[in-house]
Amino acid sequence: MDIYMQSAIEEAKKGLAEGGIPIGSLLVHKGIILERGHNRRVQKGSSILHGEMDALENAGRQSAQVYRESVLYTTLSPCSMCSGAILLYGIPRVVIGENSTFMGDEELLRSRGVHVDVLQDQECVAMMRAYIKEKPALWNEDIGV
Amino acid sequence: MDIYMQSAIEEAKKGLAEGGIPIGSLLVHKGIILERGHNRRVQKGSSILHGEMDALENAGRQSAQVYRESVLYTTLSPCSMCSGAILLYGIPRVVIGENSTFMGDEELLRSRGVHVDVLQDQECVAMMRAYIKEKPALWNEDIGV
């Protein structure tokens, strides 16, 4: 098991325990976890704090150089907003837990030269599948449906 | 002068007065200003609060229906992150103050069916031109350069 994805899953579980949507993310620079984040729609009444955005926000203001040497880990395929943030900062690689419950804008990322790996991790799949079944309205809100 | 763009410019000036980057934005629903926002990179040490993101965040959790009936006003062409947020929520129209000091991801927006209007407002141009000249490093940080 990828140790970074394991940490991202822990972040997702932290979000779930807070009553939130279970999606976690990490920004990793040269093997070091710079910051962690998880979806905070429910916790903060936020429309922009997806897991990936929360990790970027928690990491604060970094130089372009740092982003360009970093990898973003996320338990779920990144939506258009999070994909756009990855492009803005020129993050060259994204590792995705799964894209079977939701397919984000991976094609856009790839078309702009981002290296995208999808682990199709069964723990990530099971976590999202259970959440979507339990709270479909909240999930739809999170993806603008 | 477009009254909404005038309000977005006021937001940009508010940001400048706070020591921030002068970019303002509004989310307008059926002619009513739902919320306003401005870039808060400096003010909040934020890597994600571009003007458009701040307006969306300030507007809180809205239904998909509301976003789909809304127009986003922004004093500057929206970067990849903000364009991605517009796509996530299916906002059908974006009105841009200017794109001569920075060209965002307008082509992506258009390719996904978003109606994009560019006013090329001279006050917006002058405001950004002066800021970029005065604080080039901060500006570059904001666009991941």
Side-chain angles (χ1 to χ4, degrees), chain A residues 21-35:
Chain A
I21 303 173
I23 304 168
S25 179
L26 305 182
L27 185 63
V28 177
H29 180 243
K30 295 185 171 181
I32 309 286
I33 298 174
L34 270 186
E35 254 304 349

Side-chain angles (χ1 to χ4, degrees), chain A residues 41 45-50 81, chain B residues 56-57 60-61 67 88-89:
Chain A
R41 173 173 296 273
S46 173
S47 58
I48 65 171
L49 288 176
H50 276 187
M81 172 176 67
Chain B
L56 288 170
E57 184 68 336
R61 293 168 53 184
Y67 293 118
L88 168 63
Y89 288 120

